[in-house]
Each structure stands twice: as C-alpha cells, then as structure tokens.
Amino acid sequence: MALDDLYQEIILDHYKKPRHPGRLEDAQVEVHHYNPVCGDELTVGLRLDGDRVAAVAVDGKGCSISQAAASVMTEQVVGRPVGEALDQAEAFRRLMHGEGEPDEELLGDGIAFKGVARYPVRVKCALLGWMAFKDAATRAGGPGAHVAEGDSPRMEPGTGREGN
Amino acid sequence: MTPPTAPLDLAAVRGDFPILERRVNGHPLVYLDSAATSQKPRQVLEAMDDYYRRHNANVHRGVHTLAEEATHLFEEARGKVARFVGASERATVFTKNVSEAINLVAYAWGLRNLREGDEILVTEMEHHSNLVPWQLVAGMTGARIRAVPVTGDYQLDLDALDGLLGERTRMVAVSAMSNVLGTVNPVAEIARRAHDAGALVLADAAQAVPHAGARLDELGVDFLGFTGHKALGPMGVGVLAAREELLDSMEPFLGGGEMISDVDIDRFTWNTIPWRFEAGTPNVAEAVGLGAAVDYLQGLGMDRVRAHEVDVTGYALKRLGEIEGLVVYGPSEVEHRGGMVSFTIGDIHPHDVAQVLDAEGIAVRAGHHCAKPLLRRLGVQATTRASFYLYSTTDEVDALVAGLERVKRFFA
C-alpha cells in the first residue's frame, strides 16, 4: 500500500497545525467524545448564532487521522447553517463507508481522507470529530440544550481490536 | 529439558513457521507482535490437521474407535500441559483462554468465598483479564479491590505489598510477566507473603509460560492461568492449573454436558475434576495443537527460548535507545524483563507509528494493550509495543529501527 494514499499532505498539514484548537470560552455546548480503539479523545465546543455555526473549537489528543479530520471539520462548518454542516457530516460518513460517489463540493478538504476508507480500524478515528460535532449540534439545537454539558464520555461498544 | 549448551538454530526454527515466508506490502514480514499472539509452527498445524483428518470424534462419550482415539489425544495433551506447568493432570483444566481461566476462579471460588469487606489484591500492571473478572465478582459480593503500586523503575512495590496484605485479603491476583512493561514479577516471593497472610494466589502467566516457562509448583501459587495461542498453540484453548485439593473443593462454574455425573430434571451431581470445569464439548483439536506446541517448546528447551529472547531484547533495548525522542517503558535490565519493549516516540501517536511500520511489512502493537490502569499510571494514552519470540532475529530489530527513523521523518 502507498502510505501517501492514507497520509495525504493536507492531512499531515492539519495534524501538525490544527485549526480552531483548544477550548471555546463561550461555548454553548461542549461534548467529549472518545474512541476506545485508538484512545483518541476530543472535546468539541460549539456556539450557534441562530441556525448558523458561530464558533467551534476542538481540544483533542490522539492519532493524526482523528486530529486532522476534526481540524478539517472545524474549517468546514464555521459560518455555515447547521443543516448544511450536517449534510457535510453525512457526506463524510458516506465517504468513510464507501457509499456512492463522493460529493466533493460538500466534502471540501474532507476528500483528502478518501484513502482512510480502506483501513477499517482508522475509519472510527476519522469520524470522531464529525460525530462529536453532530452530537454538539443536536444538543445546541434541542430544547433546553443551551446548558453546557461538560464531559459526557461516550462508551462505545468495543471492537475487540485491542487484544493483548 | 535440553541443557543450555547451544543457542537456538534460528534458521531451523524459522523454517518451522510457514507464515514467516509471507511478504506484507512488498516487504518480508517482520512479525513483532508475538505478545499478542505467537505464530504457529507446522508441527502444531499438522497435529491439528491430523486430528481432524484421522481421529475426529466427540470425547469421553463414545465406545467406538475414533471416540477412544480422540479422548486419548485430548487427555494426552492435558498430560503434556500439566507436566509443562508443574500441575497434576487432575487439576489442569482446559478453558478457551486465560480470561476464562480467571473468570472460572473468580466465579467458582470467589462468588462462594468472598464476603463483604474482603479484599482482592491485584497490581497496577494487570491486564484487563486479571482485573475485570474480579471487579464483576467484587460487585456481587461486596469485596474490595486493592492494588499493589508500580514503582518508578517499573517493578511492583514489594514494601507496599506488606502494608496491603491483611487479614481481609483473600486473593492475590498477579501477573507473572507484564504484557506492557515486560517486567518479570517475583511471584514466588509474593505468594510466600500472601500465604503468610492467609490469602490465595493466582498467577496470570499468559506471557510468562510461553516466554520464560512458569510452573505452579515452583512459583508456589494456588492457581495459574495461561492461553495456548501465545505459546505457539492455536486460539481457542487456554489452561487453568490449580492446586489439586483446592480445585477439588470448588463447585462448578459453567454447567452443561461433560461436567456432570448424574442429572435429573431439577438437580444434578457434578463430575470429578478436571472435567467438572469443562462443560460442553471442548476444543479438542486445539488442545491437541497445544500439546504439540508444548512438545515443540520442550524439544528446544525453555531455557534456550528464554536465552534467545534475552539476547534479542537486549539488542532491541540498545538499538531503540539510540533513537532520539524514544522513551522505553519497562525495566532497563534485560534480566528483569520479558521479550517485549513498549515505547513512545515524541508526540507521534502509536497508531500512526504502527501504520507507517506496516507499510514496511513490520507488525507491532499500538494502543493500551488491555492495561488501561497501567497506562494511566504511566501517564500515556497509548504505547507502541514490539514483542519477540523464539523466531525473532536481530535483523528484524534493525528493520524496526529503520522503520522508526522513517516514522520520525514522516511526521516531523
């Protein structure tokens, strides 16, 4: 396999220089997501202005794929209507699962992760940031969801890939 | 056992392992993940193949020739394993893996003997399989779990052990060799102190049995568990070796066929040991395969296997120490450790390390190695682990080091 397929320049660039890093001081919602396979962790802070994403930030640690995908996610969603951002999330999910033709317009830089789909173990890493965003957006948009939740660790069913 | 007169004939040993001829991603396979599972020599593959081609029948219940042959092969394998780990055949139980072996003790002994306020003493360096079964049973009995800390030089704190052992301590469950640090723990000494305090001792010997040899009688423990697939055997068979009178006093764990002597609609009486603890049709071919693996290891001699691993591990520690930014987690003295080296390189995530190495055909482990409490104690999210076995070579260590230099360039 060609490593460059997986680790495209743009991925390495986002990994080394993540966009919108850290905690969002005036976050409306903060969610903490965790990938037990890699041990990747992300805290995503989100603030909406009406139905638009006013600000988003990611405080994370983990593998390059998870951190870079989350960084790309922040660039994609800032300033967009939540509905459009959720469409982007869906386009990225479909890309990771190899469903249909990639929608490059919706994906933006996310298209760089196309090669990840061939590495099932890493798909979870790539999806973590978008999953956290979807969770945050749902909480921010739902009734009473303006209350910041702080940590809400997600214990996903294990995949058994970490055997001893 | 063969006296340690000569080193292993490495070329001959490697020739016994068909998978080592594989190429991965255009490179010869460099398999450095034997602590997760070992590769299998053809002697093991052939024994299992022969079992299914010529002898397959259900064990212990047929009078026909094949049933007798299958039973004989199964029980013969039990005898080989029992002698290998210094237990009696009656007290050597086939399980599916070491997790099941520990669950067996936790449930069959723990549920019936632990009371509220009793203590189970584990260590900070245990694999999840020697933590979670105790946590489950503690939750049902009200027992408490306490842990022997790990010191700065990656050893168990034996001074703290004496303070932790008390009259409420009922069980000490300890790894004989850490699957992350490689630390070889002084189990015999721990068992002596635990017995003085009136506690039983279980040794998780998943790494110790395959890499150094570990015996119930020499360690002086009450229970010893290991799994076949890390010891050249197949997946699906593990072993619980126990002190015979203790096992004989225990009630069944799983119920079903084979473990009974009589059954009525609403009651049963149980079988004698070891079959009392082997409900249902066992993994006969796998047990036969494990017997062949034991033959193979004993044919070479465990002291020579261990000596070879010490050589390769010592070389690895030296070469890895030359890589800037690389931190090794585990004892620096090769005599005090098994054939595995866990490390981190700068901020590069172990999964990225393993991914780049895989592109070079090098298989290593990355993650928490099912020892999350230990990794928390070490203050790391994950490590990369290279682990060796009797077929590992110093050339493979060199390939690893070259691969790691590539990793550094890639993520620089």
Side-chain angles (χ1 to χ4, degrees):
Chain A
M1 73 133 201
L3 262 192
D4 300 345
D5 251 23
L6 177 63
Y7 294 114
Q8 299 222 348
E9 264 317 302
I10 197 151
I11 296 181
L12 291 175
D13 182 61
H14 275 270
Y15 170 56
K16 290 168 189 171
K17 287 175 291 188
R19 322 299 198 257
H20 308 100
R23 302 290 282 263
L24 197 58
E25 261 183 29
D26 50 355
Q28 192 178 350
V29 173
E30 262 197 348
V31 297
H32 183 80
H33 277 229
Y34 170 65
N35 169 13
V37 178
C38 276
D40 304 320
E41 290 183 53
L42 297 177
T43 298
V44 172
L46 178 69
R47 186 161 42 79
L48 300 182
D49 177 10
D51 74 337
R52 274 181 190 277
V53 176
V56 66
V58 174
D59 186 32
K61 53 180 177 175
C63 71
S64 59
I65 302 294
S66 68
Q67 303 306 305
S71 170
V72 170
M73 177 276 289
T74 64
E75 282 204 320
Q76 293 286 99
V77 301
V78 167
R80 295 216 189 228
V82 172
E84 233 178 275
L86 292 175
D87 287 345
Q88 292 177 318
E90 176 60 12
F92 192 77
R93 190 197 64 75
R94 287 166 60 86
L95 179 76
M96 287 300 99
H97 291 129
E99 295 172 15
E101 280 301 303
D103 185 334
E104 299 206 21
E105 200 163 318
L106 271 176
L107 286 165
D109 280 354
I111 191 71
F113 291 83
K114 192 177 177 185
V116 178
R118 286 173 41 213
Y119 302 89
V121 181
R122 309 304 294 273
V123 165
K124 273 196 163 200
C125 312
L127 285 172
L128 191 64
W130 279 107
M131 291 300 179
F133 171 77
K134 275 172 71 173
D135 185 22
T138 307
R139 289 171 192 238
H146 58 279
V147 181
E149 292 285 325
D151 270 9
S152 59
R154 289 300 158 111
M155 293 310 295
E156 295 175 32
T159 61
R161 288 209 167 100
E162 290 270 331
N164 29 181
Chain B
M1 289 217 280
T2 316
T5 47
L8 291 181
D9 180 347
L10 199 48
V13 167
R14 288 181 66 84
D16 287 334
F17 290 79
I19 206 167
L20 298 180
E21 291 161 24
R22 255 206 74 168
R23 294 179 74 82
V24 171
N25 296 318
H27 300 269
L29 168 65
V30 174
Y31 187 75
L32 302 179
D33 196 19
S34 289
T37 195
S38 73
Q39 296 302 345
K40 323 301 175 196
R42 59 186 164 72
Q43 290 84 343
V44 167
L45 306 177
E46 282 164 8
M48 295 173 68
D49 190 59
D50 184 61
Y51 168 78
Y52 273 124
R53 285 179 190 276
R54 293 171 43 81
H55 308 292
N56 179 51
N58 211 329
V59 289
H60 295 140
R61 62 196 70 164
V63 292
H64 59 78
T65 301
L66 292 188
E68 282 183 2
E69 288 176 7
T71 303
H72 171 74
L73 287 167
F74 182 64
E75 293 302 330
E76 183 182 59
R78 188 194 309 279
K80 290 175 183 178
V81 170
R83 287 187 292 280
F84 190 50
V85 297
S88 76
E89 285 188 42
R90 289 188 72 229
T92 299
V93 178
F94 282 123
T95 61
K96 73 175 185 215
N97 47 38
V98 69
S99 291
E100 188 187 312
I102 297 171
N103 274 279
L104 191 165
V105 178
Y107 281 81
W109 174 85
L111 263 193
R112 291 188 183 272
N113 289 285
L114 292 169
R115 303 281 173 269
E116 187 161 352
D118 282 350
E119 293 176 359
I120 302 158
L121 188 55
V122 296
T123 84
E124 284 182 344
M125 64 168 83
E126 296 311 308
H127 188 284
H128 297 165
S129 64
N130 201 22
L131 293 173
V132 179
W134 302 114
Q135 292 169 0
L136 286 167
V137 171
M140 288 183 252
T141 58
R144 284 209 306 154
I145 296 177
R146 305 184 73 187
V148 181
V150 174
T151 62
D153 56 350
Y154 309 104
Q155 308 282 343
L156 289 179
D157 185 343
L158 291 191
D159 294 336
L161 171 70
D162 290 330
L164 286 162
L165 282 169
E167 58 182 21
R168 298 312 301 265
T169 313
R170 303 294 312 282
M171 170 62 76
V172 177
V174 56
S175 168
M177 182 190 285
S178 162
N179 71 308
V180 178
L181 306 171
T183 310
V184 176
N185 288 322
V187 175
E189 173 62 19
I190 291 168
R192 196 182 56 73
R193 297 192 200 180
H195 286 152
D196 284 349
L200 296 178
V201 180
L202 176 143
D204 172 358
Q207 300 295 341
V209 162
H211 298 280
R215 294 174 59 92
L216 186 88
D217 52 0
E218 286 174 7
L219 294 175
V221 296
D222 303 287
F223 301 100
L224 179 146
F226 79 102
T227 192
H229 73 91
K230 293 185 200 293
L232 306 185
M235 294 181 177
V237 64
V239 173
L240 175 71
R243 198 150 53 75
E244 188 171 332
E245 62 274 23
L246 183 60
L247 193 72
D248 209 9
S249 73
M250 285 160 50
E251 297 185 19
F253 167 41
L254 301 172
E258 190 62 48
M259 48 73 71
I260 53 89
S261 70
D262 190 27
V263 181
D264 212 327
I265 287 296
D266 62 353
R267 69 184 69 97
F268 77 100
T269 51
W270 52 72
N271 203 343
T272 54
I273 58 171
W275 305 286
R276 185 187 304 162
F277 296 102
E278 293 178 353
T281 298
N283 289 338
V284 180
E286 284 70 17
V288 169
L290 178 55
V294 166
D295 284 343
Y296 188 89
L297 287 168
Q298 289 194 313
L300 295 172
M302 282 311 295
D303 38 10
R304 291 166 81 207
V305 170
R306 167 74 181 147
H308 175 71
E309 280 192 31
V310 166
D311 284 351
V312 175
T313 307
Y315 182 72
L317 287 171
K318 174 177 158 291
R319 290 299 321 272
L320 292 171
E322 293 162 10
I323 298 177
E324 208 185 312
L326 188 144
V327 177
V328 170
Y329 299 89
S332 48
E333 301 284 325
V334 73
E335 291 74 22
H336 298 149
R337 53 145 63 240
M340 64 212 69
V341 183
S342 285
F343 58 88
T344 54
I345 312 181
D347 290 337
I348 307 171
H349 193 279
H351 276 214
D352 290 317
V353 174
Q355 192 91 58
V356 174
L357 292 177
D358 179 62
E360 312 266 311
I362 303 167
V364 295
R365 203 76 181 165
H368 52 60
H369 315 295
C370 296
K372 293 196 78 168
L374 175 62
L375 266 71
R376 255 179 226 121
R377 168 77 178 73
L378 299 175
V380 289
Q381 205 183 15
T383 71
T384 305
R385 181 187 69 193
S387 55
F388 313 110
Y389 208 177
L390 46 87
Y391 39 69
S392 301
T393 69
T394 50
D395 286 350
E396 291 180 313
V397 173
D398 291 337
L400 171 68
V401 169
L404 291 172
E405 293 294 354
R406 184 174 182 211
V407 169
K408 281 180 67 178
R409 287 196 299 277
F410 204 84
F411 291 103

